[in-house]
């Protein structure tokens, strides 16, 4: 392009023509001179002649000829449109421009010009031959240009070109990542020297280049064991770990995803199959062991950034403990305990305020605690647990390491509490904590107070600390000027003050003390000048104190404090999730509470046993007011962000609490629209699919409440609507309570009424037998909901086939339900029967065989006061007449049904009942067509 412009530049200036040319004033002579120069091969001179002639010529026809001649020179392509503009049918100009474009490599443009030429002169063989040739060349070029190999090479060329535009590089990087996600593309990248080129991208050190390379490797490793092993050996595990160790959150996360892809491919976690490559793969256990050892080294290495350490711990959490306890192989957990437990404890024992500590994020130590808990939970026998405890022990006489040991103990108390609790019970440990509280060094006080907070979970420990440590905590709170220590001391007092839980009669402190503590917590929570980690402790305090109903009421009335907590819940510090979830569970009273029989209460009072008392403000009307305040304060947006947290700190226990909160918030049907509008429906889906058994049930129930009264397409937009089906079907179980069954059936009815794809999805989740079972339920509402759901499902062939089967009472049940007094049940059953008999003519005959009362039931339907039920009955009548069973049709017309049809059909048009009247008339016409009745004729 630049060469072309450079050549044309002289055309804007005066040329030095030969003397005789300067004397010429006739454009025709100049044209002829140009022709002679062109024939002689003097192209530059020819252009000069043509250009001079163009300036002088006034005749349009001659001007078109001059332009056409000048366009013969291929590089004058920019001037040729002028000739065509003068005469659009000038095929010579078009053809010459086509030739020029072809030489410039513009095959598509050349093809269009020749196509116009062939349109003007369709019999010109030159044009037709050129058209065929250019078409073939274009196809070949396209094939080459768009082949995978060419695309891969082009992308690498762009990415490794230092002078290339940034936008083009970003686009090429994204294209490479997308291409690697397809097996064919991943294979071509691998075969076309892709690994060395990707390593070159890693060496650039540029964040966007490194991310593109890592994500491309992840695509190449996904689901392909042989290719994964080759990449590991070509790149090296140490190289990948060094990349994950850099202080960049995005790179650390992308490398973690790559390691996960590698693990899934080598262990078979990715179930996809790609050809027969597995037969060629050697044992991957050595590589998996090397990766595990490398990750354990990263955990305690000072060269690893906080983000890298987090991702190493996350990978260990995901892949070391067994996902299924039925799997007997827990060798990875035992190996990790032997080679890495002390390293994980070292992370827990780090104190950021001291010098020379490991680089960590705000989440690192809590992730380490979660890993400790998962490893403990994965052990199978007492000797293994004894070994775990032995590794965790420390010598209380080693004063130089006391502060780190106490901090590690806090980590154990937040993870495998049983281990931590046993260590706290060892002689001298509690005394050591109290002694550290009295230390002059502030960091000692801070660590000791945190340990006291975590160790006072058990009532026996709380009692010890209440006796021995309350005055100490109060003293620290009053005297220290360090806000970080002050707030921790306050949280310690909060936890001790709430040791009685929600039992109104078990208050630990004097009347009004908990409210004062909560007020101070709210004050700190609203202080935006404080760092997030310190303000987090204010929420910890509220998580304990909100077990008191007075504190709950005060908190939801304090809108700034409530909104401050919601904003903190959206922050990067995910250690806050559990405390926020606890606070919300307390405020909504959505915790598990056993119902105590009145007789047992009387018996306990008689035997002088302690009887828990409910706070007056924990009654239903107070709870509802608190829920409204939370919704108004923006709790849903905070919950949706918390659920999205891609972090192991969103534990199953935290998920369960969030599910409980959602269920409490969705209790009032009027609030469900608000929940959907702020993304609550979307947020509930992952909670219903993953987590603890109780958590999944609670989230599924909340989904059912929403889908039962909302438009599912609005509540769960796009493809998410199909993800809702499985959680709803999970509620159709005998162990679930009746409300859960009922609301799940209502929701499935709504979904089944939308489209065939959703109906098929419901059937694939094996919901049909459960729905049929609930149609036999004694409870009227559940039976009605199940029948309505079946009414929406009968359009599916699979459902129709079940009703065609012999040896069951499905059809009989529907027919008998049409005679029920419950109008809603009657309408649903009649609708299902109408659709079934319309889709399967055999069912018309079968319907008359399942019960002798069929005719009486049919008459009752078509005489019903409700137009909807009457209409369904008339449709069934029409289906019988249209069933090809002449004997049955004759029997129907010979009954009182003919008289009923005649009365309805002769009625005057009525907008409210027109549908019924029209169907009755259609039935009469059908009977006349069958020759069962004669047309009405007037006497002559």
């Amino acid at each position: 392009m630049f060469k072309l412009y450079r050549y044309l530049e002289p055309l804007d200036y005066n040329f030095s023509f030969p003397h005789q040319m300067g004397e010429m004033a006739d454009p025709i002579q100049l044209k002829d001179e140009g022709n002679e120069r062109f024939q002689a091969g003097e192209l530059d001179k020819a252009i000069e002649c043509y250009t001079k002639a163009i300036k002088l010529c006034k005749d349009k026809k001659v001007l078109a000829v001059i332009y056409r001649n000048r366009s013969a020179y291929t590089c004058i392509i920019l001037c040729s449109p002028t000739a065509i503009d003068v005469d659009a049918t000038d095929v010579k100009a078009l053809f010459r421009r086509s030739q020029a474009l072809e030489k410039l490599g513009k095959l598509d443009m050349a093809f269009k010009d020749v196509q116009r030429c062939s349109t003007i002169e369709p019999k010109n063989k030159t044009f037709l031959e050129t058209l065929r040739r250019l078409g073939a060349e274009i196809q070949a070029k396209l094939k080459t240009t768009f082949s995978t190999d060419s695309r891969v090479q082009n992308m690498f060329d762009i990415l490794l070109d230092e002078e290339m535009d940034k936008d083009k590089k970003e686009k090429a990087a994204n294209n490479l990542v997308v291409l690697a996600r397809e097996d064919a593309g991943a294979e071509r990248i691998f075969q076309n020297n892709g690994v060395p080129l990707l390593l070159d991208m890693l060496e650039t050190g540029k964040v966007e280049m490194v991310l593109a390379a890592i994500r491309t490797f992840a695509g190449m490793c996904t689901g392909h064991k042989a290719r994964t092993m080759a990449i590991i050996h070509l790149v090296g595990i140490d190289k990948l770990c060094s990349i994950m160790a850099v202080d960049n959150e995005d790179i650390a996360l992308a490398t973690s995803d790559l390691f996960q892809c590698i693990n899934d491919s080598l262990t078979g976690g990715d179930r996809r199959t790609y050809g027969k490559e597995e037969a060629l793969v050697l044992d991957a256990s050595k590589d998996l062991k090397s990766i595990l050892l490398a990750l354990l080294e990263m955990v305690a290495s000072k060269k690893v950034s906080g983000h890298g350490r987090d991702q190493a711990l996350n990978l260990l959490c995901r892949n070391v403990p067994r996902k299924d306890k039925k799997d007997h192989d827990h060798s990875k957990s035992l190996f990790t305990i032997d080679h890495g437990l002390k390293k994980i404890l070292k992370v827990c024992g780090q104190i950021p305020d001291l010098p020379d500590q490991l680089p960590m994020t705000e989440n690192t130590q809590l992730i380490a605690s979660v890993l400790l808990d998962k490893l403990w939970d994965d052990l199978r026998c007492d000797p293994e647990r004894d070994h775990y405890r032995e590794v965790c022990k420390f010598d209380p006489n080693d004063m130089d390491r006391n502060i780190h040991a106490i901090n590690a103990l806090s980590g154990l108390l937040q993870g495998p509490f049983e281990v931590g609790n046993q260590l706290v019970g060892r002689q001298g440990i509690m005394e050591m904590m109290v002694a550290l509280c009295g230390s002059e060094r502030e960091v000692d006080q801070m660590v000791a107070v945190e340990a006291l907070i975590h160790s006072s979970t058990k009532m026996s420990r709380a009692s010890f600390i209440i006796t021995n440590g309350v005055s100490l905590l109060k003293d620290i709170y009053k005297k220290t000027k360090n806000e970080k220590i002050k707030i921790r001391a306050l949280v310690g007092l909060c936890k001790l003050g709430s040791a009685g839980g929600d039992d109104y009669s078990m208050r630990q402190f004097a009347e009004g003390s908990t409210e004062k503590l909560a007020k101070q917590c709210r004050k700190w929570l609203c202080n935006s000048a404080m760092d997030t980690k310190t303000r987090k402790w204010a929420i910890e305090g509220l998580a304990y104190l909100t077990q008191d109903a007075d504190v709950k009421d005060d908190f939801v009335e304090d809108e700034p404090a409530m909104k401050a907590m919601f904003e903190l819940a959206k922050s990067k510090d995910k250690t806050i999730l559990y405390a926020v979830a606890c606070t919300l569970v307390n405020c909504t009273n959505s915790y598990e509470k056993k119902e105590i029989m009145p007789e047992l209460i009387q018996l306990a009072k008689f035997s002088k046993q302690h009887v828990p008392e409910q706070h007056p403000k924990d009654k239903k009307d107070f709870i509802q007011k608190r829920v409204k305040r939370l919704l108004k304060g923006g709790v849903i947006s905070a919950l949706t962000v918390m659920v999205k947290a891609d972090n192991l700190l969103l534990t199953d226990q935290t998920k369960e609490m969030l599910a409980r909160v959602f269920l409490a918030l969705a209790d009032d049907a009027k609030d469900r629209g608000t929940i959907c509008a702020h993304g609550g429906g979307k947020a509930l889906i992952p909670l219903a699919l993953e987590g603890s058994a109780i958590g999944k049930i609670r989230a599924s129930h909340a989904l059912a409440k929403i889908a039962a009264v909302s438009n599912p397409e609005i509540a769960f937009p796009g493809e998410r609507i199909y993800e809702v089906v499985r959680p709803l079907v999970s509620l159709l179980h005998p162990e679930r309570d009746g409300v859960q069954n009922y609301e799940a059936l209502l929701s499935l009815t709504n979904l089944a009424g939308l489209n065939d794809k959703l109906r098929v999805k419901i059937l694939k989740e094996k919901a049909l037998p459960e729905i049929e079972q609930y149609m036999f339920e004694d409870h009227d509402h559940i039976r009605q909901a199940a029948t309505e759901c079946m009414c929406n499902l009968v359009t599916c062939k699979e459902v129709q086939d079940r009703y065609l089967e012999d040896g069951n009472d499905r059809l009989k049940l529907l027919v008998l339900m049409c005679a029920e007094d419950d109008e809603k049940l009657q309408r649903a059953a009649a609708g299902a029967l109408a659709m079934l008999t319309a889709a399967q003519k055999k069912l018309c005959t079968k319907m008359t065989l399942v019960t002798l009362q069929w005719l009486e039931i049919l008459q009752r339907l078509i005489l019903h006061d409700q137009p909807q039920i009457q209409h369904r009955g008339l449709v069934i009548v029409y289906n019988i007449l249209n069933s090809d069973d002449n004997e049955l049709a004759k029997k129907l017309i010979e009954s009182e049904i003919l008289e009923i049809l005649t009365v309805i059909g002769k009625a005057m048009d009525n907008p409210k009942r027109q549908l019924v009247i029209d169907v009755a008339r259609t039935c009469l016409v059908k009977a006349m067509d069958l020759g069962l009745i004669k047309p009405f004729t007037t006497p002559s």
Side-chain angles (χ1 to χ4, degrees):
M1 197 66 170
F2 296 108
K3 288 182 180 178
L4 184 59
Y5 281 107
R6 281 200 297 272
Y7 184 82
L8 288 173
E9 191 175 349
L11 294 176
D12 296 327
Y13 299 93
N14 292 323
F15 287 92
S16 296
F17 290 103
H19 178 69
Q20 67 270 27
M21 289 174 64
E23 297 175 352
M24 292 181 185
D26 187 351
I28 294 176
Q29 290 181 14
L30 286 168
K31 175 184 74 79
D32 293 338
E33 175 68 10
N35 290 344
E36 290 175 9
R37 299 286 188 182
F38 186 84
Q39 294 297 329
E42 297 174 3
L43 301 181
D44 292 348
K45 303 294 184 184
I47 289 298
E48 292 173 2
C49 292
Y50 292 144
T51 303
K52 186 68 175 177
I54 287 168
K55 290 181 179 180
L56 297 172
C57 186
K58 304 297 182 184
D59 189 328
K60 286 189 176 182
K61 289 189 176 180
V62 176
L63 188 62
V65 172
I66 298 170
Y67 270 121
R68 181 185 66 204
N69 290 351
R70 193 173 72 166
S71 70
Y73 183 34
T74 58
C75 285
I76 213 68
I77 189 64
L78 293 179
C79 300
S80 62
T82 312
I84 296 165
D85 290 340
V86 173
D87 187 359
T89 61
D90 192 336
V91 291
K92 288 187 178 179
L94 280 167
F95 188 67
R96 283 176 180 169
R97 187 171 75 171
S98 168
Q99 290 175 310
L101 286 165
E102 183 181 353
K103 289 182 179 180
L104 290 171
K106 306 291 185 182
L107 298 182
D108 53 339
M109 295 171 68
F111 185 87
K112 288 179 181 178
D113 279 351
V114 178
Q115 205 170 33
R116 287 173 66 186
C117 291
S118 64
T119 304
I120 297 167
E121 294 182 18
K123 294 184 179 180
N124 190 313
K125 292 183 179 179
T126 303
F127 296 161
L128 294 173
E129 180 59 37
T130 305
L131 207 58
R132 281 193 293 270
R133 179 175 55 77
L134 286 176
E137 287 178 14
I138 288 170
Q139 289 299 320
K141 185 177 180 181
L142 285 172
K143 188 175 180 180
T144 304
T145 303
F146 292 104
S147 67
T148 306
D149 293 356
S150 177
R151 287 165 66 196
V152 170
Q153 190 59 51
N154 287 341
M155 288 173 204
F156 279 120
D157 290 343
I158 292 169
L159 288 167
L160 296 173
D161 186 349
E162 292 291 336
E163 297 180 359
M164 187 59 65
D165 181 72
K166 184 181 178 182
D167 291 338
K168 288 185 177 180
K169 280 192 172 188
E170 287 181 2
K171 188 175 181 181
N174 290 332
N175 288 341
L176 194 65
V177 174
V178 171
L179 188 64
R181 289 173 184 163
E182 302 171 4
D183 188 56
E187 187 61 26
R188 295 318 301 161
I189 295 172
F190 184 75
Q191 295 293 342
N192 286 2
N193 203 34
V195 175
L197 290 171
L198 289 169
L199 285 171
D200 290 342
M201 289 170 62
L202 291 175
E203 293 301 325
T204 63
K206 296 178 180 177
V207 173
E208 65 276 5
M209 297 286 277
V210 173
L211 285 172
I214 291 295
R215 288 165 181 164
T216 304
F217 273 131
M220 293 166 69
C221 290
T222 299
H224 201 293
K225 194 172 183 180
R227 194 162 58 226
T228 300
M229 290 187 73
I231 288 170
I232 289 173
H233 290 285
L234 288 168
V235 178
I237 294 169
D238 290 342
K239 177 70 174 177
L240 293 176
C241 288
S242 67
I243 295 168
M244 193 164 76
V246 301
D247 192 15
N248 183 291
E249 188 174 4
D250 292 334
I251 291 176
L253 182 59
T255 315
S256 174
D257 290 339
L258 170 56
F259 268 120
Q260 191 61 51
C261 291
I262 290 170
N263 181 80
D264 290 344
S265 294
L266 297 186
T267 59
D270 189 315
R271 300 294 181 186
R272 288 174 289 180
T273 304
Y274 295 100
K276 299 178 180 178
E277 51 88 17
E278 286 192 17
L280 306 174
V281 178
L282 298 173
D283 184 15
S285 59
K286 186 176 179 181
D287 289 314
L288 289 167
K289 186 176 179 182
S290 298
I291 292 171
L292 180 54
L293 283 170
L295 292 175
L296 290 172
E297 284 299 317
M298 288 186 71
V299 166
S301 172
K302 288 186 178 180
K303 296 178 181 178
V304 178
S305 70
H307 296 302
R309 200 176 320 281
D310 283 1
Q311 294 308 324
L313 290 166
N314 280 332
L315 285 166
L316 292 169
C317 283
R318 289 194 194 103
N319 301 304
V320 171
R322 292 169 293 168
K323 292 180 176 64
D324 185 358
K325 298 302 179 186
K326 294 179 182 177
D327 180 8
H328 293 288
D329 182 15
H330 67 316
S331 56
K332 285 192 288 187
S333 292
L334 298 177
F335 183 86
T336 301
I337 291 168
D338 288 338
H339 294 83
L341 186 56
K342 287 186 177 179
K343 294 173 182 175
I344 302 166
L345 286 168
K346 182 179 178 181
V347 173
C348 290
Q350 295 297 294
I351 301 163
D353 292 331
L354 291 179
D356 199 31
Q357 301 295 293
L358 296 175
M360 294 187 299
T361 70
E362 60 273 9
N363 300 322
T364 306
Q365 289 181 302
L366 196 51
I367 298 173
S369 294
V370 171
L371 176 56
L372 290 171
D373 188 43
K374 285 179 176 286
L375 290 170
W376 171 260
D377 191 48
D378 202 37
L379 300 179
R380 293 170 49 193
C381 59
D382 288 340
E384 292 173 355
R385 296 186 183 95
D386 290 339
H387 174 62
Y388 187 107
R389 294 190 193 98
E390 197 64 36
V391 176
C392 293
K393 281 183 181 179
F394 63 94
D395 185 1
N397 297 317
D398 187 356
M399 295 303 293
D400 293 336
R401 297 178 57 196
N402 271 351
I403 188 169
H404 292 286
I406 294 297
N407 212 38
L409 182 57
S410 289
L412 285 166
L413 288 164
Q414 292 174 81
F417 182 80
E418 183 182 335
V419 179
N421 194 45
Q422 280 195 341
L423 288 174
V424 171
R426 292 182 68 199
Q427 186 176 1
I429 300 297
M430 292 296 290
E431 289 79 4
M432 186 195 306
M433 289 184 194
V434 173
L436 282 172
C437 285
S439 169
E440 293 182 1
R441 199 167 66 156
E442 289 183 338
V443 70
D444 292 344
Q445 293 180 16
M446 188 162 62
V447 170
V449 171
E450 282 190 27
L452 283 172
I453 292 168
H454 296 308
S455 61
S456 59
T457 300
K458 287 278 186 182
M459 192 65 186
S460 57
R461 303 275 178 251
S463 300
F464 175 89
I465 298 168
I466 287 169
T467 305
N468 299 281
V470 170
S471 57
L472 184 60
L473 288 172
K474 285 181 178 178
D475 194 47
I476 291 172
Y477 177 73
K478 290 176 181 177
K479 290 181 179 179
T480 185
K481 295 180 180 179
N482 188 320
E483 294 289 334
K484 294 180 180 180
I485 298 174
K486 186 181 282 286
I487 196 168
R488 284 165 172 79
L490 178 69
V491 172
L493 292 169
C494 291
K495 188 169 186 179
L496 296 173
S498 62
D502 65 345
D503 186 350
Y504 187 50
S505 63
M506 288 283 288
R507 293 192 168 197
Q508 301 293 326
F509 295 160
E511 186 76 28
S513 297
T514 51
E515 288 92 321
K516 289 179 182 177
L517 290 171
K519 186 177 181 180
Q520 184 60 47
C521 284
R522 297 201 308 273
K523 181 181 175 182
W524 263 315
L525 182 58
C526 295
N527 187 354
S528 57
M530 283 181 140
D531 62 280
T532 303
K533 193 171 183 180
T534 304
R535 291 170 71 201
K536 177 195 78 173
W537 282 97
I539 302 177
E540 290 275 354
L542 289 170
Y544 301 124
L545 293 176
T546 47
Q547 294 180 72
D548 185 293
D550 288 318
V551 176
K552 299 176 196 181
D553 263 21
D554 291 343
F555 176 67
V556 297
E557 291 297 326
D558 188 345
E559 192 171 337
M562 194 164 49
K563 289 188 174 180
M565 185 180 78
F566 296 156
E567 287 304 313
L568 283 174
K570 300 174 186 178
S571 69
K572 286 187 176 182
D573 186 350
K574 301 306 176 188
T575 59
I576 206 167
L577 295 177
Y578 185 79
V580 174
C582 283
T583 304
L584 292 174
V585 164
N586 290 338
C587 289
T588 56
N589 282 52
S590 50
Y591 43 77
E592 201 75 43
K593 198 166 182 67
K594 292 181 180 179
E595 293 292 332
I596 304 174
M597 295 173 63
E599 293 85 355
L600 291 177
I601 294 175
Q602 292 299 324
L603 184 62
K605 287 180 178 179
F606 179 76
S607 58
K608 297 183 179 179
Q609 297 294 317
H610 173 70
V611 179
E613 292 181 26
Q614 185 186 43
H615 196 290
K617 290 185 178 179
D618 271 335
K619 293 180 180 178
K620 190 172 182 179
D621 54 341
F622 284 96
I623 297 170
Q624 288 174 342
K625 287 178 184 177
R626 290 199 290 268
V627 165
K628 302 291 182 186
R629 293 289 300 175
L630 287 168
L631 286 167
K632 187 179 178 181
V635 67
I636 299 299
S637 60
L639 288 171
T640 54
V641 173
M642 291 168 72
V643 170
K644 287 179 186 175
D646 184 19
N647 197 294
L648 286 167
L649 297 185
L650 187 64
T651 60
D652 287 351
Q653 190 176 1
T654 306
K655 289 178 184 177
E656 180 182 322
M657 288 194 289
L658 295 179
R660 289 178 182 277
V661 174
F662 266 118
L663 183 58
L665 296 172
D667 188 58
D668 188 343
K670 295 175 184 177
D671 296 328
R672 295 171 197 172
T674 304
I675 294 172
C676 293
H678 291 87
K682 174 185 171 184
L684 275 165
I685 295 173
L687 293 177
L689 295 173
E690 297 175 1
S692 67
I694 294 173
K696 289 191 286 187
I697 292 169
R698 297 291 180 272
S700 298
H701 191 188
L703 280 173
K705 283 181 176 292
I706 291 170
V709 299
S710 308
N711 182 345
E713 291 177 305
I714 296 174
F716 316 103
E719 294 297 310
R720 291 191 189 92
I721 195 169
Y722 301 100
E723 298 177 39
V724 178
V725 174
R726 182 174 296 174
L728 296 179
V729 173
S730 71
L731 294 177
L732 302 181
H733 194 280
E735 291 183 3
R736 312 288 178 259
D737 62 45
V739 175
Q740 292 170 343
N741 298 156
Y742 175 67
E743 291 181 329
L745 288 166
L746 289 181
S747 303
L748 290 170
T749 302
N750 270 352
L751 293 173
L754 291 176
N755 58 55
D756 285 332
K757 191 175 177 182
L758 273 168
R759 288 189 279 271
V760 170
K761 176 68 175 173
I762 292 169
L763 297 181
K764 281 186 177 179
E765 293 296 336
K766 300 180 180 178
L768 194 55
E770 303 296 338
I771 295 168
E772 287 177 339
Q773 176 184 330
Y774 286 111
M775 289 174 69
F776 289 90
E777 183 69 39
D778 289 337
H779 196 287
D780 292 341
H781 291 314
I782 292 177
R783 189 171 64 207
Q784 170 207 319
T787 309
E788 288 175 348
C789 189
M790 184 61 70
C791 181
N792 284 350
L793 290 172
V794 292
T795 55
C796 296
K797 182 70 166 56
E798 183 181 334
V799 180
Q800 295 166 13
D801 290 342
R802 289 173 76 89
Y803 278 91
L804 284 167
E805 291 172 3
D806 293 326
N808 63 74
D809 292 330
R810 293 188 183 97
L811 189 62
K812 181 178 180 179
L813 178 65
L814 270 186
V815 177
L816 294 176
M817 279 181 172
C818 291
E820 291 280 348
D821 293 330
D822 185 337
E823 290 185 353
K824 290 183 178 179
L825 178 61
Q826 196 177 14
R827 185 173 66 236
L833 195 57
M835 286 189 282
L836 281 169
T837 51
Q840 299 290 340
K841 293 182 178 181
K842 291 181 181 178
L843 289 175
C844 293
T845 305
K846 186 177 179 182
M847 184 186 81
T848 65
L849 302 175
V850 294
T851 174
L852 297 174
Q853 300 172 345
W854 69 272
L855 191 57
E856 180 186 339
I857 292 170
L858 201 53
Q859 289 175 2
R860 184 176 175 181
L861 286 177
I862 62 177
L863 287 169
H864 206 283
D865 294 335
Q866 289 288 335
Q868 287 184 327
I869 297 174
Q870 191 177 20
H871 173 254
R872 285 162 166 74
L874 288 166
V875 171
I876 297 169
V877 171
Y878 175 79
N879 292 339
I880 294 173
L881 294 172
N882 194 42
S883 66
D884 300 333
D885 188 338
N886 293 331
E887 287 299 319
L888 180 57
K890 184 179 179 182
K891 185 175 181 180
L892 199 66
I893 294 301
E894 288 175 351
S895 69
E896 294 178 2
I897 284 182
L898 176 59
E899 186 179 346
I900 299 169
L901 290 174
T902 305
V903 171
I904 298 171
K906 285 183 177 181
M908 293 182 66
D909 289 351
N910 182 345
K912 293 182 179 179
R913 302 183 65 86
Q914 195 59 45
L915 200 58
V916 172
I917 295 167
D918 289 343
V919 178
R921 290 171 181 173
T922 305
C923 290
L924 290 169
V925 171
K926 184 64 181 178
M928 283 189 283
D929 292 342
L930 293 172
L932 299 175
I933 59 175
K934 293 181 180 180
F936 178 76
T937 57
T938 56
S940 57

